[in-house]
Amino acid sequence: MKLYSTNNPSLRVSFQEAVFNSMPQDKGLYMPEVIPQLEKEFIDQLEQYSLPEIAYQIASTLLKDEIPEADLKALIDDAVNFEAPVVKLNEQTFVLELFHGPSLAFKDFGARFMSRVMAYFLKDGEQLLDVLVATSGDTGGAVALGFLGVPNTRVTILFPKGKVSEVQRLQLTTNGKNIRAIAVDGTFDDCQALVKQAFADDELNGKFRLTSANSINIARLIPQTFYYFNAYAQLKRQGLEKVVFAVPSGNFGNIGAGLLAYKMGLPVHRFIAATNANDTVPRFLETGIYEAKPSVQTYANAMDVGAPSNWVRIMDLFNQDRDTINQLVKAYHFTDEETLAAIKEIFERFNYVACPHTAIAWLATKAYATENPTDDSVKVFLSTAHACKFPEVFPPEIKEKIELPEQVKSLNNNLEVYDELGKDFESFKSYLFDK
Ligand SMILES: *Cc1c(COP(=O)(O)O)cnc(C)c1O
């Protein structure tokens, strides 16, 4: 697979180069030169395959020229070692649970696969790979746990002090080994600015082999296609084949992967993009005017993105044609009040605790069903994180019903270690040099 830049269609780089660069010099996004179709027999018989088998089939269709079969198979089995079940709530409504990985969020799919791909391409004796990542909560945990113990790599995570939940903080600070965490006295934007400055700093780049782990990396996008195919397989086993996926969206990487799956041959009836008050994409799809805005804070804070970085990719997938996108993708946005009411309604109707991001996706399925009363497809909303990561949002009577998964129980036994820094670049730079 060769990749071009959305800013320069004549550029060609290898998959390996795209993975280590994350972003082309011209600040576009890498896209596959051709999007290969999965074999029709495979799609027709999807119900016969397990998640790792599906993952391998997709990955090998894309990457067979870059990673030999046996290595790719081992890589997939190591990366995709948890379930993504589709849970039935009623005849028309299902929830795709993507939170059964180590950090309890869907980002585990991307982070685990990417870390293993990077480790695979690092040759013995090569310089240590230094991954710098700024997090508002979820990305850091997935990246930390994805890279934990991966040879020849070191991860430095910057998180805004006091602004992540307890579970999120413990996921960042209790790992040890090749993972270190820094609490920055500032906001997520300050953390991100520090990482950006580090990437632009000649002295740091002269000494370290720096790489980012952000959601635009092509190696995070690819594994997110796996669970769409796998969800479809599970529904097909129940005789259901007309499917709408509702995706809680921030940077639009998750839904971007769904649309890539569609382009590779997955028969999806429609996608629903669900956002919080950060509604840049819903507004664009409605009006044709793309107007990025500073992000506003909401209960669904992993979706507080005013300028979704993966949107360019989706436009590229559909040749910049908003009308084509509008035929396939419906978009809705919701307020915090609506989100909280939805959490309560989902609990009352289905005895199910949904995290705020998940609740927004459910709201979008409801809005879609109201607007399309004759559409008899099943609605699958994606649950992107476990509710226990966002405890402050829930009313007490629902909060007490949240069952703590094993991944969280064990966190409390671990020693927390992190450094604290101000938001000035010089302190961060000295830290990197001295530690
Ligand atoms: C990152 C995240 C999202 C948004 O996903 P995108 O790929 O950025 O659209 C939604 N929900 C949760 C819980 C997340 O962590």
Side-chain angles (χ1 to χ4, degrees):
M1 180 172 85
K2 290 272 185 283
L3 300 107
Y4 61 86
S5 164
T6 51
N7 282 350
N8 179 6
S10 61
L11 182 87
R12 289 293 176 278
V13 301
S14 68
F15 176 63
Q16 179 172 348
E17 214 178 322
V19 170
F20 284 122
N21 288 355
S22 238
M23 183 184 259
Q25 295 271 308
D26 62 24
K27 304 253 167 17
L29 294 186
Y30 288 119
M31 286 296 282
E33 179 181 20
V34 282
I35 292 169
Q37 291 295 299
L38 291 169
E39 283 171 23
K40 189 171 176 307
E41 295 104 275
F42 174 70
I43 295 199
D44 287 346
Q45 296 168 16
L46 216 47
E47 70 278 10
Q48 300 178 7
Y49 296 98
S50 68
L51 173 57
E53 287 167 344
I54 289 173
Y56 172 71
Q57 193 68 35
I58 298 168
S60 79
T61 303
L62 288 161
L63 304 175
K64 58 176 177 292
D65 297 335
E66 346 277 324
I67 306 179
E69 204 173 296
D71 293 339
L72 188 58
K73 187 134 202 344
L75 192 155
I76 292 280
D77 287 342
D78 183 27
V80 188
N81 65 347
F82 52 92
E83 303 283 308
V86 168
V87 175
K88 183 173 181 172
L89 298 183
N90 68 24
E91 290 307 316
Q92 282 86 40
T93 317
F94 293 73
V95 51
L96 168 55
E97 294 183 344
L98 300 175
F99 55 70
H100 295 284
S103 85
L104 307 169
F106 84 98
K107 290 185 173 75
D108 286 327
F109 280 91
R112 281 181 78 79
F113 183 80
M114 178 178 64
S115 62
R116 280 147 186 82
V117 166
M118 284 182 171
Y120 176 80
F121 285 133
L122 284 172
K123 306 284 179 297
D124 279 345
E126 268 192 45
Q127 190 183 1
L128 177 86
L129 184 72
D130 255 300
V131 180
L132 300 185
V133 52
T135 186
S136 60
D138 266 359
T139 300
V143 171
L145 294 160
F147 277 92
L148 182 63
V150 173
N152 226 359
T153 67
R154 174 172 63 179
V155 178
T156 308
I157 305 158
L158 288 82
F159 67 96
K161 187 178 158 189
K163 294 193 176 68
V164 301
S165 76
E166 189 185 358
V167 170
Q168 287 175 328
R169 194 189 70 240
L170 291 171
Q171 287 180 344
L172 303 174
T173 59
T174 59
N175 296 298
K177 292 191 188 163
N178 58 332
I179 312 296
R180 54 187 185 177
I182 303 173
V184 173
D185 195 6
T187 61
F188 166 63
D189 290 337
D190 295 322
C191 297
Q192 203 159 32
L194 288 174
V195 169
K196 278 195 178 150
Q197 273 175 287
F199 284 122
D201 189 275
D202 290 337
E203 282 177 339
L204 285 173
N205 281 290
K207 173 132 196 249
F208 302 107
R209 179 175 181 177
L210 300 178
T211 192
S212 87
N214 58 24
S215 80
I216 58 169
N217 197 299
I218 190 73
R220 276 181 66 171
L221 195 74
I222 291 170
Q224 292 178 171
T225 61
F226 303 163
Y227 48 74
Y228 285 96
F229 283 93
N230 184 58
Y232 185 82
Q234 293 175 64
L235 293 165
K236 221 170 154 220
R237 274 176 222 136
Q238 305 176 41
L240 304 166
E241 297 194 22
K242 190 173 173 193
V243 182
V244 170
F245 285 111
V247 188
S249 297
N251 264 322
F252 281 72
N254 194 353
I255 195 169
L259 293 165
L260 179 61
Y262 171 82
K263 288 275 179 175
M264 291 180 78
L266 183 69
V268 179
H269 179 56
R270 284 236 170 92
F271 288 90
I272 306 175
T275 76
N276 54 29
N278 297 282
D279 59 351
T280 302
V281 168
R283 270 185 295 116
F284 166 71
L285 289 178
E286 193 179 324
T287 64
I289 299 164
Y290 188 89
E291 190 189 10
K293 281 192 188 163
S295 62
V296 296
Q297 224 182 335
T298 74
Y299 290 150
N301 61 18
M303 290 156 43
D304 292 348
V305 181
S309 52
N310 277 291
W311 183 250
V312 183
R313 239 180 206 138
I314 294 174
M315 290 302 282
D316 194 80
L317 268 180
F318 292 91
N319 298 317
Q320 316 297 325
D321 185 7
R322 180 174 68 103
D323 292 339
T324 316
I325 299 177
N326 272 332
Q327 281 159 33
L328 181 64
V329 182
K330 303 292 155 191
Y332 302 94
H333 58 95
F334 300 94
T335 64
D336 270 353
E337 291 67 46
E338 290 168 318
T339 307
L340 191 57
I343 287 173
K344 292 178 185 158
E345 193 180 337
I346 296 167
F347 183 68
E348 276 153 25
R349 278 177 61 180
F350 307 117
N351 194 27
Y352 190 87
V353 184
C355 92
H357 313 77
T358 306
I360 287 177
W362 177 73
L363 277 172
T365 62
K366 251 191 16 167
Y368 175 85
T370 308
E371 267 180 27
N372 300 275
T374 57
D375 182 339
D376 58 355
S377 57
V378 290
K379 315 297 181 297
V380 180
F381 62 103
L382 275 57
S383 179
T384 43
H386 194 284
C388 73
K389 296 188 88 176
F390 307 93
E392 61 288 346
V393 177
F394 295 91
E397 65 278 15
I398 299 182
K399 192 167 153 181
E400 69 185 25
K401 292 282 166 33
I402 299 176
E403 285 173 31
L404 288 189
E406 279 310 314
Q407 293 96 314
V408 172
K409 290 185 195 151
S410 58
L411 278 179
N412 289 314
N413 307 327
N414 300 348
L415 182 68
E416 239 191 298
V417 180
Y418 59 93
D419 294 295
E420 295 191 36
L421 284 181
K423 58 186 176 187
D424 61 296
F425 180 59
E426 286 312 312
S427 326
F428 180 46
K429 190 168 165 179
S430 324
Y431 173 94
L432 290 174
F433 273 118
D434 300 343
K435 277 261 181 171

